Amino acid sequence: MKRTIPAVIAGVTGTVMIIAFFIPPAQKWQQTAEIWFTILTAIAFLIGGTNLCLHHLKKVAHQQTGWGFSAVTLAAFFITIFFGLTKWGVPAAEKFPDYPWSGSYMDEGGGMWWLYEYVMSPVVATMFSLLAFYVASAAFRAFRAKNVEAMLLLVTAFIVLLGRTYAGTVLTSWVPESMSALTFPGLTGVIMAVFTTAGQRAIMIGIALGIAAISLRIILGLDRSYLGSDKN
Amino acid sequence: MRNPNSETRNPQEARNPKGDMCSLCAGSNFRFWISFGFLALMFVVPRNMLAADIAPPTGLVVKDRPNDAANGLIVTWSLSPDDDPTAQPKRVTQYEISRQADGGEWSAIAKVPAGNTLIEDTNCEPGKKYRYRVVALGPDAAASAPVETAEAFQPVMQWVDTRRLWFGAIVAFICGAVIVCTELAKHGAATYVRPIAALTALDEAVGRATEMGRPMLFVPGIVDLDQIETIAGLTVLSRVAKTAAEYDAVLEVPTSRTLVMTAAQECVEAACLEAGRPESFNPDRIYYVTDEQFGYVAYVCGWTTREKPAACFYLGKFFAESLLLSEVGNSVGAIQIAGTAEASQLPFFVAACDYTLLGEELFAASAYLSREPQQLGTLKGQDAGKVLAAVLLLGGCLLATWAAFQPQSVGAEAYHYFREVVLNKGGA
């Protein structure tokens, strides 16, 4: 039963989604299914919050490795909840100037806004900017000419890299206009438009077919491994 | 004879030094009547009469919006003669479209910039009748006289979206092939599936972690359970968890969605039961971190750096975090297996991981790992889809070539039909 009911729900919902794509009157059912998913997600937020607190409280209580990070996480969690629920510092809405809580919790000047603007955004930007360094280290490893394939990759990457920069344009500026396809920007255009696009499309077609197959396995109940076990 | 320099000259004389003013305009009565007339215009005459110099739009037509569930009408009109894009300043800046449902109140539903002659009203309710009104608006609240539809229109329900018929036929073919192959597999037809290195390496990775006495990390993507990649990732998690339970290895599953956490807990618990090691299941190892993309990345990267897992699995839907996660895993010397259907992230995984499941391989993983004939049959059906795709590609290329050489031929028409009807409208 524990697996059967979710499998039936998944099968019915999946079928409704397919039918609604082709039969307009069924779109109401699709919307209902989407609303139910939203409701479930909202309930899941409570489960997530509880899980987060319990997980990190245990770590702090037992002083496990890295418990200091858990303490910071918990502090950040409760501070954010406090500012979000109390609307601390939120200016009153223009329509209701006499009611200090009438503004939106994310209005400029409020505590939540301040946290987002001066804590969250810089931290996220920092994490994202690390990507530049990791791209460099991954590229260095990927472009080592270990074999023929790696050599081809290296040469192709070199052409595309130069073709996308001003240096590539300058280096091949002497090439006559009639042979512009042989310049670095020209070659880059051909590589991107023909070889890369062809490869990506092949992958996309495979993905689309793979999605169709796995969706059918789920709708027909052939694959239930994602649902856990019937046993307790 | 008047003295023009006289300081006692009255204002009327100053305005009309010749002294030939008419009796109606004489004295303060003139200003009174002007003011009165202006106020009368302000309060008595409707606003749109004031701006009668803007010509209204013409030719208002309402028709049913095709291929919908009786919730849409298309309203078209001809531009106001004053709607001239080259005029400076513009006399018409936008059109306001109002709607009246079942003879009720008029309400504005849209404003579109000048030059537009169509809106699709997709908020109609089935069974109700609607009238429409269009007004051309100009600068300074100027408005034309409204133009209205004489009769009310009721949206019509269509039972099939005809734009998607071809796509439906393709889907039916692929699904039919999958079902037929599944039935054949059920009845004993052999199915060959080529070895997938990344899936073969799963056991190797778990074994390595066990030997080294270090934990394993499993990341089931960063999106929710409504994405098929997450489901595909969870099916692989089942297998990894089962092997980990058999080897008594530690598996850590931080998630960025609560529903994924719940599903992952169920999967791992079931896998431990199946392995005959229910005591191996530790729900504290499968937990929720945060929905925030880079917050999640920060946690996982931090955990990886501190705990130095021996094996890392990234299977699901990933975006910019793919390279961050896999590079950190690489830096601690973990064996890494990744898989995603995000074509833009595949190069990063290929560069940073030991094994990568490319697109469809991720979706084939559950069938490949289970070795159940029925599931393997679906992979065979998938191949029929590939044959169809190849035929369509080849046919499309031939038609396009024909059309390029003979633009007026039957081939050109066929190519046009193929491109516009069979392909372009399919996903609309």
Side-chain angles (χ1 to χ4, degrees):
Chain A
M1 260 332 237
K2 203 175 153 191
R3 284 177 90 183
T4 309
I5 292 173
V8 169
I9 292 172
V12 170
T13 312
T15 310
V16 163
M17 292 291 183
I18 294 173
I19 291 172
F21 190 75
F22 298 105
I23 299 175
Q27 283 166 3
K28 275 190 290 186
W29 303 340
Q30 181 190 355
Q31 286 163 3
T32 307
E34 286 167 357
I35 288 168
W36 271 104
F37 181 78
T38 310
I39 292 169
L40 280 178
T41 311
I43 295 168
F45 259 115
L46 294 176
I47 301 171
T50 312
N51 179 272
L52 186 136
C53 287
L54 290 176
H55 179 76
H56 290 288
L57 279 172
K58 268 185 197 171
K59 271 193 165 182
V60 173
H62 297 124
Q63 297 209 335
Q64 292 172 2
T65 317
W67 67 271
F69 298 111
S70 293
V72 173
T73 305
L74 285 171
F77 180 69
F78 287 113
I79 288 170
T80 310
I81 284 183
F82 172 78
F83 279 108
L85 291 179
T86 60
K87 290 189 176 180
W88 188 280
V90 169
E94 281 182 19
K95 278 185 179 176
F96 309 101
D98 297 332
Y99 298 91
W101 284 9
S102 56
S104 167
Y105 73 103
M106 278 300 280
D107 277 352
E108 190 172 341
M112 277 293 281
W113 173 83
W114 194 92
L115 282 176
Y116 187 83
E117 199 69 17
Y118 296 111
V119 181
M120 188 80 181
S121 285
V123 167
V124 166
T126 306
M127 281 306 296
F128 191 60
S129 57
L130 285 176
L131 202 57
F133 300 100
Y134 286 128
V135 165
S137 65
F140 175 74
R141 213 169 37 254
F143 296 152
R144 272 183 300 187
K146 292 176 286 189
N147 47 38
V148 179
E149 289 90 347
M151 187 80 93
L152 279 174
L153 186 68
L154 175 64
V155 172
T156 313
F158 187 71
I159 292 169
V160 173
L161 199 67
L162 279 177
R164 295 275 166 132
T165 58
Y166 185 63
T169 310
V170 171
L171 284 171
T172 48
S173 56
W174 53 270
V175 176
E177 185 64 32
S178 58
M179 299 173 78
S180 60
L182 294 177
T183 60
F184 279 122
L187 286 171
T188 300
V190 173
I191 290 168
M192 297 301 289
V194 181
F195 298 102
T196 308
T197 307
Q200 282 216 335
R201 283 188 183 158
I203 291 173
M204 294 306 290
I205 289 170
I207 288 169
L209 292 168
I211 289 174
I214 195 172
S215 302
L216 271 178
R217 284 204 295 273
I218 290 167
I219 289 170
L220 298 174
L222 296 175
D223 186 356
R224 299 183 183 189
S225 52
Y226 67 100
L227 290 173
S229 169
D230 271 333
K231 300 170 191 169
N232 285 309
Chain B
M1 190 71 185
R2 287 189 186 92
N3 179 6
N5 298 319
S6 168
E7 288 183 9
T8 57
R9 187 180 64 166
N10 77 38
Q12 299 296 339
E13 285 181 48
R15 281 188 212 105
N16 194 354
K18 288 180 181 172
D20 54 354
M21 51 188 180
C22 64
S23 59
L24 187 66
C25 301
S28 59
N29 281 349
F30 174 73
R31 273 171 291 172
F32 170 77
W33 283 111
I34 289 291
S35 304
F36 180 79
F38 183 72
L39 286 170
L41 280 171
M42 288 275 288
F43 290 103
V44 178
V45 182
R47 194 186 70 163
N48 50 31
M49 291 291 285
L50 262 177
D53 54 339
I54 293 183
T58 54
L60 181 60
V61 175
V62 178
K63 59 180 180 181
D64 183 53
R65 184 170 172 266
N67 301 307
D68 67 3
N71 54 9
L73 289 168
I74 296 174
V75 184
T76 55
W77 61 90
S78 300
L79 294 179
S80 158
D82 290 328
D83 187 353
D84 180 6
T86 57
Q88 286 298 334
K90 287 182 179 178
R91 299 197 67 201
V92 175
T93 54
Q94 54 188 351
Y95 292 97
E96 183 182 77
I97 299 93
S98 305
R99 186 178 80 174
Q100 183 192 45
D102 280 344
E105 292 287 314
W106 285 95
S107 58
I109 56 166
K111 279 184 182 176
V112 295
N116 285 287
T117 58
L118 178 146
I119 64 150
E120 287 195 12
D121 181 6
T122 54
N123 291 318
C124 299
E125 287 181 39
K128 283 192 175 178
K129 289 188 173 181
Y130 295 92
R131 287 180 69 203
Y132 289 87
R133 168 196 284 175
V134 180
V135 176
L137 302 177
D140 302 327
S144 73
V147 54
E148 293 177 10
T149 50
E151 55 180 311
F153 293 84
Q154 185 174 344
V156 181
M157 171 94 72
Q158 278 85 37
W159 289 96
V160 178
D161 189 339
T162 51
R163 294 169 303 170
R164 293 170 175 171
L165 282 178
W166 273 106
F167 183 66
I170 293 169
V171 169
F173 174 82
I174 294 168
C175 293
V178 169
I179 291 168
V180 167
C181 291
T182 307
E183 287 301 314
L184 287 175
K186 261 190 207 174
H187 292 90
T191 307
Y192 170 76
V193 180
R194 67 178 167 84
I196 301 175
L199 296 176
T200 313
L202 284 178
D203 291 347
E204 179 196 331
V206 180
R208 182 174 185 260
T210 313
E211 283 173 8
M212 295 175 79
R214 278 162 42 184
M216 293 178 294
L217 171 71
F218 193 102
V219 180
I222 62 153
V223 292
D224 221 326
L225 211 52
D226 59 340
Q227 298 291 317
I228 199 75
E229 283 128 299
T230 310
I231 304 270
L234 290 178
T235 59
V236 181
L237 172 64
S238 292
R239 172 57 179 253
V240 172
K242 187 183 169 197
T243 315
E246 286 166 353
Y247 292 178
D248 203 19
V250 175
L251 179 64
E252 188 96 354
V253 189
T255 64
S256 70
R257 292 288 189 276
T258 319
L259 288 178
V260 178
M261 174 196 77
T262 314
Q265 283 178 344
E266 291 289 334
C267 278
V268 174
E269 188 179 12
C272 291
L273 280 169
E274 201 179 330
R277 301 286 303 275
E279 72 280 2
S280 298
F281 175 61
N282 181 1
D284 290 346
R285 291 278 181 186
I286 305 152
Y287 50 88
Y288 169 75
V289 179
T290 171
D291 278 43
E292 176 60 38
Q293 182 186 20
F294 287 105
Y296 180 74
V297 172
Y299 175 85
V300 175
C301 290
W303 184 89
T304 306
T305 310
R306 288 192 300 276
E307 301 290 330
K308 295 188 172 36
C312 295
F313 305 93
Y314 312 107
L315 295 146
K317 198 178 183 93
F318 293 90
F319 299 101
E321 70 284 349
S322 61
L323 190 62
L324 290 169
L325 297 175
S326 51
E327 272 297 289
V328 171
N330 189 287
S331 69
V332 299
I335 182 171
Q336 298 200 101
I337 299 173
T340 185
E342 280 296 306
S344 57
Q345 302 306 320
L346 282 171
F348 296 128
F349 276 144
V350 170
C353 296
D354 299 282
Y355 300 97
T356 306
L357 292 165
L358 299 172
E360 62 175 320
E361 291 177 343
L362 173 65
F363 301 116
S366 63
Y368 183 93
L369 293 170
S370 72
R371 289 284 158 188
E372 288 176 21
Q374 295 174 18
Q375 291 206 44
L376 290 174
T378 61
L379 301 184
K380 199 76 177 170
Q382 215 174 306
D383 287 346
K386 281 182 194 166
V387 171
L388 176 67
V391 168
L392 288 175
L393 277 171
L394 195 62
C397 288
L398 289 174
L399 284 176
T401 311
W402 189 356
F405 282 105
Q406 293 180 325
Q408 304 301 322
S409 64
V410 181
E413 281 180 29
Y415 170 65
H416 180 77
Y417 181 82
F418 183 75
R419 202 181 64 172
E420 300 298 323
V421 180
V422 180
L423 297 182
N424 274 10
K425 301 291 179 186

